[in-house]
Amino acid sequence: MSRAARDPQAAVAGAEPEPVAAERRGRPRSAAADSAIIEAVLRLIENGASMGELSMEGIAREAGVGKATVYRRWSGKDALMLDVMRSLDAPLPPLDGDSVRDDLVSLLEFLRRRGLAKRDSALLRTVVSHVQAHPELWEEYHRSVVRARNEALLAVLRRGMATGEIRTDRPVDTLADLFVGPMLARAFLHRWKDLPEGLAEDIVDTVLDGVRPRPRAAAG
Amino acid sequence: MSRAARDPQAAVAGAEPEPVAAERRGRPRSAAADSAIIEAVLRLIENGASMGELSMEGIAREAGVGKATVYRRWSGKDALMLDVMRSLDAPLPPLDGDSVRDDLVSLLEFLRRRGLAKRDSALLRTVVSHVQAHPELWEEYHRSVVRARNEALLAVLRRGMATGEIRTDRPVDTLADLFVGPMLARAFLHRWKDLPEGLAEDIVDTVLDGVRPRPRAAAG
Amino acid sequence: MSRAARDPQAAVAGAEPEPVAAERRGRPRSAAADSAIIEAVLRLIENGASMGELSMEGIAREAGVGKATVYRRWSGKDALMLDVMRSLDAPLPPLDGDSVRDDLVSLLEFLRRRGLAKRDSALLRTVVSHVQAHPELWEEYHRSVVRARNEALLAVLRRGMATGEIRTDRPVDTLADLFVGPMLARAFLHRWKDLPEGLAEDIVDTVLDGVRPRPRAAAG
Amino acid sequence: MSRAARDPQAAVAGAEPEPVAAERRGRPRSAAADSAIIEAVLRLIENGASMGELSMEGIAREAGVGKATVYRRWSGKDALMLDVMRSLDAPLPPLDGDSVRDDLVSLLEFLRRRGLAKRDSALLRTVVSHVQAHPELWEEYHRSVVRARNEALLAVLRRGMATGEIRTDRPVDTLADLFVGPMLARAFLHRWKDLPEGLAEDIVDTVLDGVRPRPRAAAG
DNA sequence: CCGTAAGCGAGACGGTACGTCCAGTCTTCTG
DNA sequence: CAGAAGACTGGACGTACCGTCTCGCTTACGG
C-alpha cells in the first residue's frame, strides 16, 4: 500500500515530506489494519456494492475493525477511496522499444489491461465515478496517477517528433489525446465491456495512418 | 420535460406504451411541481452540491415541495437524475454538409458545446459520475442519449466510406471512437477546463490525416 | 403520562401555558410511541439497568422506535428521565382527617408506599440518583413533585398550630423536616430495603411526643 | 489518601490484608500518580463536571497520567469514586460530653459541616448520586462510612437510655433516624443550600421535646 | 354543483450511517 | 518492570436522510 495511507493529511495534500524523526510514542499503528481496510473495500465493491452502499460503517465491519481505526487513518470516504485507487496502480511498462509506434502500443496495451480491463471494471467504474464527482479528489487523482501516464506518452511522442516518426505541426498534447481518447471512449461509452485483444495496435496504427484512405496501397 | 417524468417506471424501463385511458380521477399532478423539482436539482448542483450532498430531502426543501410529491413522480434519486440529464439534452445538429469532414466537425462541435463545455461542466460531471456508478442507469442513459449521437456519427462515417472519403479497411465503430475519444479525453482527463474554440476542427483534421508526417505537403 | 412528555420544552421549563391553537401541520405525533418509550425505560430499569447502562440507543431499541422519535420528544436523557419520574407520580391522599396526627400518618404512609416502597425501589434509586446529580434536573423535579408534597405537609402543620395540636415556637418548615426526614433516612441510609408496615404511625407518634421520656404516662 | 487506593481489589472488597512482602520488583508505583488522579477528579467535579461527563479518559488527561496507570490502581470508575469519597472523610468528633443531648448536637453538627455543608456540596452530590445508583457501591460506602457514624449515634442513644435521658419504649435505631433524618431532609430536599448555623441544636432539642405543645412552660 | 378521489405541503414514522467520543485493553518506547 | 503515550475493538452519542405513512387541506373531474 502507498505510504500515504499512513498519513491522512498527505493523502489529500499529495506532498509527503516525511516528518523524519517525529517523536514516535505510544503504540504504533497496526499495519494489518491498514490492509484489512483496503481489502474490505475491494471485497465489498467486487460483491456489487455501489458507492452509495459503501458505508464507512460497513467497511469497518467487513474489515473487523473499529470505526475509529478507519478514521484515524483517513479523514473520510474520499481520502480512503484515493488510496484504494492507488492500491490498484501498476508501474508503467518500459518504453524503450525500437520504434515510437511500438512504445505507443505498449502504453495503450498497458491502459487496456490495467485500468480498463474487465476484472477491475466494476471496481474502477465505482471508484472512478466517485472520484470524478469531487473536484478535489479528481485533482489529486490526476496529480498522482493520470499525470505520470500522460507524461510518459508525451515523452514518447516528443521522441517521435525528433526522429521524424511523428508530425510536428500540431501541439504534442493534442496528439496525445488522439491515442488515449479512443481507448477511453471504448471503456466509457460502450458499456464497459472488456476491451478486445488487438485494440491497442489497432488504435495506434489507425491514428498514425489517419482515417482518410491512403493515397497509395499501403503506408510503407 | 420528458413525459417519462410522469411515469417513474418508464423512466428506467425506457419503453412507455401509455396506459391509454387509465381512469384519470382526482386532482391532476401539478406541472409546476415537476419543473420546480428539476430546477431545484440544477440549482443545487450549480451551487456546488456534490452527488452525496444532494439529498432527496434537500431537493424537496429547495423546490418547496413535499417529499411525497417527489417520490410520486420518480422512484428514487436515480430515476430523477436520469430525467435531469435528459432535461439538459439538445437536438443533434443537421448533418447534411457538403463533405463528410464538415459533418464530423459539426458533430464534434456539438459535443464540445453541449455536454462538455464549461457552463454545464460541474453539473454534468456530477450527474454523469452518478449515472456511471450504476450500471442500469448507465444502460438507460446510453440508450436514450449516447446511442443517438453514436449512430449519427456512424451514419456520417458510412456515408464517407461510400464516397471514398473514409477508409474502409477498419470497422466503422472503431473509427468512430477515434473522433469522439479525443474530445472525451480533453474533457475528462484534463481538469475539465472548457474546451477551446477550434478543437473540433483540429481533431477531425488530424484524425483524418493521421499523426505520421504526411509524405506530401498536404492531403490534396 | 403527563402531558409534559408531549412538550419537550415544557419538560424542563415547568411552565406549560399551552400554545392553544398552534398550527397543527404534518402528521401528528404518535401517542403510542410516547408510552412505548416511557415503558421501555421502566422495563429496562426493572431488569437491572443502571443509569450508565441506560442508553438512548437501547431505549429506542427496546421501545421498537427510531432514535429520532425519542429525540423529537425529549432533548436528552435528562428530560426523558424527568418525565419517567413524573409518570410514577401518584396523587396525594386526601388530608381532611379528624386530627392533625391522622393526616400526618396518611402523608407519611403515602410516602412509604409511593416513592419509597420496595417495588419501585430499584427504579427510583436509579432515576433519583440521576436526577440528583444534575442541579437543573433536581430543581425541576423539586418544583414539580417535591414542592407539592411539602406544601401539603406544611398546610397540615399550620392547621395543627391553629388547633393547638402543634407547637408554635418553631418555624413550620423546620418541623416539617422532622416528619419527612426519618422516612428519608430509612429509605436512603439503610440499604433501601422495603419499609415496614407501621412505620408511618411510629414516626409520627414519636416525633409528636418527643424522644425524651414523657414525665407522665400520656400527653393528656 | 486511604491506602485502599493502592489496592484496587480491596477498594471494593473492603478488607485490606496487605500482601505483605509480595516480591516488589521493578520500578515502584509513583505515589504522586495516586494523588494526582484523586485530585484530578476533585478538580473536575468542582469545575462543574457531572458524573456522566467525568470520563476516565478525561481524568487521566487532567492528572497527566496514562489511562493504564489509572486502571492499574482501580478496577473502574466505581472503585475510583469510592476512594474519592473516602478521601473526603473526616474523623468523628469525640462523644463524651456531659449530657447525651450535647453529644447528639456534636454529632449532628459534624454531619452538618462535613458531608452536607456548602463547600463540598456539588462534589458530594455528584459522587453520592453515582454511588447510590449502584447497589454494590452503596453497600460498600455504607460499610465504610455510614455504619461508623450510625453506630456512634446508637451508642450515644443507648447511653441515654441507660441514664434515663432517652425513652426506652422505642427501638433505638428508629430513634436514631429521628435525629439524622431531618438533617438529611434539609440537605437533600431543599435545594442543597448550605445548612444554617444553629441547625444541629434546633433539631436535637425539638426532637427530644416533641412537636406537640408541652403541657408545661418548659421541659424542666 | 356537489361528492370524491387524488393531488398538495408538512412532518412523524422506523431505520441506517454519519463522524466523534469514551470504555477498557493492549503494545510500544523510555526511564 | 512501571510509566506515558496512544492504538486497538466496541458501542453510544445526537444529527441527517432514507422511503413510507398519515394529517388536514385544495383542486378538478364526473355523475
Side-chain angles (χ1 to χ4, degrees):
Chain A
M1 194 202 342
S2 107
R3 70 156 288 297
R6 288 218 171 69
D7 190 348
Q9 257 61 3
V12 161
E16 315 168 18
E18 181 63 45
V20 191
E23 284 206 73
R24 289 225 166 259
R25 289 199 288 181
R27 177 176 177 176
R29 299 241 173 113
S30 152
D34 284 81
S35 48
I37 294 165
I38 296 274
E39 267 157 42
V41 175
L42 297 178
R43 217 173 316 134
L44 287 168
I45 293 180
E46 287 193 358
N47 289 6
S50 80
M51 209 54 218
E53 294 153 23
L54 243 196
S55 64
M56 293 300 260
E57 198 109 14
I59 291 168
R61 206 183 304 128
E62 173 78 19
V65 135
K67 256 197 296 180
T69 300
V70 182
Y71 281 106
R72 210 174 283 124
R73 289 165 164 72
W74 294 279
S75 62
K77 199 155 33 169
D78 293 353
L80 172 52
M81 284 308 144
L82 223 42
D83 272 350
V84 169
M85 294 193 70
R86 288 201 258 252
S87 81
L88 296 175
D89 242 15
L92 285 172
L95 297 171
D96 47 7
D98 290 340
S99 68
V100 161
R101 185 263 181 198
D102 289 349
D103 281 353
L104 290 171
V105 170
S106 297
L107 209 41
L108 261 65
E109 179 64 11
F110 165 81
L111 286 181
R112 186 181 73 87
R113 304 176 68 144
R114 294 257 16 131
L116 299 176
K118 188 182 179 194
R119 209 203 74 86
D120 300 320
S121 69
L123 203 155
L124 262 181
R125 178 164 47 185
T126 300
V127 185
V128 167
S129 72
H130 179 68
V131 168
Q132 275 172 7
H134 301 271
E136 75 292 356
L137 277 187
W138 180 248
E139 204 66 32
E140 168 58 15
Y141 179 68
H142 194 271
R143 187 162 28 244
S144 71
V145 176
V146 176
R147 199 201 309 281
R149 295 175 181 181
N150 202 240
E151 273 166 10
L153 175 54
L154 293 180
V156 170
L157 290 175
R158 284 203 196 89
R159 185 156 57 85
M161 285 172 159
T163 63
E165 287 170 274
I166 299 293
R167 62 197 287 187
T168 55
D169 58 346
R170 300 280 183 189
V172 68
D173 52 340
T174 299
L175 296 183
D177 290 339
L178 300 195
F179 292 94
V180 178
M183 190 68 87
L184 215 60
R186 287 292 271 238
F188 270 61
L189 258 33
H190 306 313
R191 326 285 183 82
W192 216 290
K193 59 177 67 146
D194 64 342
L195 307 174
E197 200 83 13
L199 184 62
E201 282 195 286
D202 252 35
I203 291 176
V204 169
D205 288 336
T206 317
V207 171
L208 284 175
D209 285 348
V211 163
R212 234 192 283 280
R214 308 255 62 192
R216 289 153 289 106
Chain B
M1 193 199 348
S2 106
R3 70 153 291 298
R6 289 222 167 67
D7 189 346
Q9 256 60 2
V12 161
E16 315 167 18
E18 183 63 42
V20 194
E23 286 205 73
R24 289 222 167 260
R25 289 198 291 171
R27 175 177 175 175
R29 297 233 175 119
S30 149
D34 285 82
S35 49
I37 293 165
I38 296 274
E39 267 158 41
V41 175
L42 298 179
R43 219 174 315 134
L44 287 168
I45 294 180
E46 288 194 356
N47 288 5
S50 78
M51 209 54 217
E53 294 153 21
L54 242 198
S55 63
M56 292 300 261
E57 199 109 12
I59 291 168
R61 204 182 305 128
E62 173 78 19
V65 137
K67 260 201 291 181
T69 300
V70 182
Y71 281 105
R72 209 172 284 124
R73 289 163 164 71
W74 295 279
S75 63
K77 197 154 40 168
D78 293 354
L80 171 53
M81 284 308 144
L82 226 40
D83 272 351
V84 169
M85 295 191 69
R86 288 201 259 253
S87 81
L88 295 174
D89 243 16
L92 284 171
L95 297 171
D96 47 6
D98 290 341
S99 68
V100 162
R101 184 260 180 200
D102 289 348
D103 281 352
L104 291 171
V105 170
S106 296
L107 209 40
L108 261 66
E109 180 64 10
F110 165 80
L111 284 182
R112 186 180 73 86
R113 305 176 66 145
R114 293 260 15 135
L116 299 176
K118 189 182 177 194
R119 211 203 74 85
D120 301 319
S121 69
L123 203 155
L124 261 181
R125 178 165 48 185
T126 300
V127 185
V128 167
S129 73
H130 178 68
V131 168
Q132 275 172 7
H134 300 272
E136 75 291 357
L137 275 189
W138 179 249
E139 205 67 32
E140 168 59 14
Y141 179 68
H142 194 273
R143 186 159 32 241
S144 69
V145 175
V146 177
R147 197 198 313 278
R149 294 173 182 181
N150 201 240
E151 273 167 10
L153 174 55
L154 292 180
V156 170
L157 289 175
R158 284 204 197 89
R159 185 153 59 84
M161 286 171 160
T163 63
E165 287 170 273
I166 300 292
R167 64 196 287 186
T168 54
D169 58 346
R170 299 282 183 189
V172 68
D173 52 341
T174 299
L175 296 183
D177 291 338
L178 298 196
F179 291 95
V180 177
M183 191 67 89
L184 215 59
R186 286 292 272 239
F188 270 61
L189 258 33
H190 305 314
R191 326 290 181 81
W192 215 289
K193 57 177 69 143
D194 63 342
L195 306 174
E197 199 83 14
L199 185 60
E201 282 196 285
D202 253 34
I203 291 175
V204 169
D205 287 335
T206 317
V207 170
L208 284 175
D209 285 347
V211 163
R212 234 193 281 281
R214 309 254 63 191
R216 290 150 293 105
Chain C
M1 193 203 344
S2 106
R3 71 156 287 296
R6 288 220 171 68
D7 190 347
Q9 256 61 1
V12 160
E16 315 168 19
E18 183 64 41
V20 192
E23 284 205 72
R24 290 226 165 261
R25 288 198 287 179
R27 177 176 174 175
R29 299 243 172 109
S30 151
D34 283 82
S35 48
I37 293 166
I38 296 273
E39 268 158 40
V41 175
L42 298 178
R43 220 174 312 134
L44 287 169
I45 293 180
E46 288 193 358
N47 289 5
S50 79
M51 207 57 217
E53 295 153 22
L54 243 197
S55 63
M56 293 300 261
E57 199 108 13
I59 291 167
R61 206 183 303 126
E62 173 78 19
V65 135
K67 254 198 297 181
T69 299
V70 182
Y71 282 106
R72 212 172 281 125
R73 290 165 164 70
W74 294 280
S75 62
K77 199 158 31 171
D78 293 355
L80 172 52
M81 285 308 144
L82 224 42
D83 272 350
V84 169
M85 296 193 68
R86 288 202 259 253
S87 81
L88 295 175
D89 242 16
L92 286 171
L95 298 170
D96 47 7
D98 290 342
S99 68
V100 161
R101 185 261 180 199
D102 290 348
D103 282 351
L104 290 171
V105 170
S106 296
L107 209 42
L108 260 66
E109 180 64 11
F110 165 80
L111 285 182
R112 186 181 73 86
R113 304 177 66 145
R114 292 260 17 132
L116 299 176
K118 188 180 177 195
R119 209 203 75 85
D120 299 320
S121 69
L123 204 155
L124 262 180
R125 180 165 46 186
T126 301
V127 185
V128 166
S129 72
H130 179 68
V131 168
Q132 274 172 8
H134 300 271
E136 75 292 357
L137 275 188
W138 179 249
E139 203 67 32
E140 169 57 14
Y141 179 67
H142 194 273
R143 190 164 24 245
S144 70
V145 176
V146 176
R147 200 202 306 281
R149 294 174 181 180
N150 201 240
E151 273 167 12
L153 174 55
L154 293 179
V156 171
L157 290 175
R158 283 202 198 91
R159 185 155 58 85
M161 285 172 161
T163 63
E165 287 170 275
I166 299 292
R167 63 195 288 186
T168 55
D169 59 344
R170 300 280 183 192
V172 68
D173 51 341
T174 299
L175 297 183
D177 290 339
L178 299 195
F179 292 93
V180 178
M183 192 66 89
L184 214 60
R186 287 291 273 240
F188 270 61
L189 257 33
H190 305 314
R191 328 286 183 80
W192 215 292
K193 57 176 67 144
D194 62 343
L195 306 174
E197 199 83 14
L199 185 62
E201 283 195 286
D202 253 34
I203 291 175
V204 169
D205 288 336
T206 319
V207 170
L208 284 175
D209 286 347
V211 163
R212 232 193 283 281
R214 310 253 63 195
R216 288 149 294 104
Chain D
M1 190 199 349
S2 113
R3 64 155 293 298
R6 289 220 169 68
D7 190 345
Q9 256 60 3
V12 160
E16 314 167 19
E18 180 64 42
V20 193
E23 285 205 73
R24 290 222 168 259
R25 289 196 292 166
R27 176 174 175 180
R29 292 219 182 137
S30 151
D34 286 82
S35 48
I37 292 165
I38 296 274
E39 267 158 40
V41 175
L42 297 178
R43 218 173 316 134
L44 287 169
I45 294 181
E46 288 194 356
N47 289 6
S50 79
M51 209 54 217
E53 294 153 21
L54 244 196
S55 63
M56 292 301 260
E57 197 108 14
I59 292 168
R61 203 183 307 127
E62 173 79 20
V65 135
K67 259 201 291 182
T69 300
V70 182
Y71 281 106
R72 208 173 285 120
R73 282 150 223 272
W74 293 278
S75 63
K77 197 156 36 169
D78 292 355
L80 172 53
M81 283 308 143
L82 225 41
D83 271 351
V84 169
M85 295 192 69
R86 287 201 260 254
S87 81
L88 295 175
D89 242 16
L92 284 171
L95 297 171
D96 48 7
D98 291 340
S99 68
V100 161
R101 184 261 179 199
D102 290 348
D103 282 352
L104 290 171
V105 170
S106 296
L107 208 42
L108 261 65
E109 180 63 11
F110 165 80
L111 286 182
R112 185 181 73 87
R113 304 174 66 143
R114 293 257 18 128
L116 300 176
K118 188 181 177 196
R119 211 203 74 85
D120 300 321
S121 69
L123 202 156
L124 261 181
R125 180 165 46 186
T126 301
V127 186
V128 167
S129 74
H130 179 68
V131 168
Q132 274 172 10
H134 300 272
E136 75 292 355
L137 276 188
W138 180 249
E139 205 68 33
E140 168 58 13
Y141 178 68
H142 194 272
R143 187 159 32 240
S144 69
V145 176
V146 176
R147 198 198 315 277
R149 295 174 181 180
N150 201 239
E151 274 168 11
L153 175 54
L154 292 179
V156 170
L157 290 175
R158 285 204 196 89
R159 184 154 59 84
M161 285 171 161
T163 63
E165 286 170 277
I166 299 292
R167 61 196 289 187
T168 55
D169 59 344
R170 300 284 182 188
V172 68
D173 53 341
T174 299
L175 296 182
D177 291 339
L178 299 196
F179 292 95
V180 178
M183 191 68 87
L184 213 61
R186 288 293 274 238
F188 270 60
L189 257 33
H190 304 314
R191 325 288 182 78
W192 216 289
K193 58 178 69 146
D194 64 341
L195 307 173
E197 200 82 17
L199 185 61
E201 282 195 286
D202 252 36
I203 291 175
V204 169
D205 288 336
T206 319
V207 171
L208 284 175
D209 286 347
V211 164
R212 235 192 281 281
R214 309 253 63 194
R216 288 153 292 102

